[in-house]
Amino acid sequence: MLEFNEYNENGERLICEMGKKHADMFMTIKVKKFKDNETITVLDSANETAFLILRGEAEITWQGTTETMKRSGPFEKTPYCLHVPRNIEVSITAKEGTEILIQQTDNDKDFAPVFYKPEDILYQEFGKGQWGGTGHRICSTLFDYDNAPYSNMVLGEVFNQPGKWSSYPPHHHPQPEVYFYRFDYPDGFGAGFANAEIYRTGHNGLAVINHGFHSQTAAPGYAMCYAWGIRHLDGDPWDKTRIDDPEHAWLWKPDANDHIFKD
C-alpha cells in the first residue's frame, strides 16, 4: 500500500499509529517538520523512541547531554539518530525546514540511550556484481537485533541507484515493515511490489508492508532513498530474516544471467 499524506497543523506527517492507523504495523512513525527555532519535547512512559534526522540541523538533548544533528538531505550519508527507552525526556530545537523521523513502539525493557553518528552506522553494498549491476544499492542499518537486542524495532535507510532495484530478489518476512520514500528530485518516481500489489512510489510517499514478497525499483535518472523500519514480533525478532520467493531464488546463483551478460 502506498500513501501520500500531508503535514498537519503541527508540521507532522503521520505514517502509522499504534492501535489506530495501520495498527498491524505495531509502531507509531511520523515525520516532523520544524519551524525556525521550534522546540519539541517527547516523554513517553510506555514506548521506546528513535529520532532520525532526514534533513536540516537540530540540537537534541537528553539526560543532560546535548548533541547536534546536521544533514543536507537523506542522500548525504550522515544519519544521526538518538534511540531512547521509555521514560526518557528528549528535547529537540531545530532550524526551519528541518525534518526528523520519529519511530516508536512499546517496550518494557530499560536500556542506556544511544546516539548514533555516521561513523557508527553499518553500510552494506549489495548487487554490484549481479544481474549486470541492475540490483546495485547501498543499505545502512542504524540498529537491529545484532547491535540492539534490547529493542523491539529496527531502523535503517536504503540508497537506491537510479533505474535500479532494491529489496531484491523478492523476499518476505513475517515482521511488519514500513518505508518512507525520498527522491533527489520532487518529481522522482518508481515502482514497488508488496502486499500482492504494484504501486507507484514517489517523493514523500510511504508503504506499509504486512505480508507478501516485496521489492522495488527507481525510474532511470532518479535516485531514491527510503527509511525502513521493522517491528520485531514477540518471540520472533527480525534477525536479518529473508525468505526468498522460490520462483526467483535462482537469481542468487553466481552464474545467474551469464547467458545474457557476456563480453
Side-chain angles (χ1 to χ4, degrees), residues 179-192:
Y179 293 152
F180 179 65
Y181 297 97
R182 310 301 289 272
F183 282 80
D184 55 346
Y185 293 92
D187 295 329
F189 69 99

Side-chain angles (χ1 to χ4, degrees), residues 80-111:
Y80 292 88
C81 177
L82 175 64
H83 184 202
V84 300
R86 61 183 179 171
N87 294 322
I88 298 293
E89 183 173 290
V90 176
S91 176
I92 304 173
T93 301
K95 295 184 177 180
E96 183 178 4
T98 295
E99 290 184 283
I100 292 178
L101 183 143
I102 302 173
Q103 179 190 23
Q104 295 181 303
T105 196
D106 57 297
N107 191 346
D108 59 6
K109 300 185 186 74
D110 293 319
F111 56 88

Side-chain angles (χ1 to χ4, degrees), residues 8 22 39 61 65 90 100 158 180 223 236:
N8 63 21
H22 302 309
T39 298
T61 300
T65 298
V90 176
I100 292 178
V158 172
F180 179 65
D236 187 12

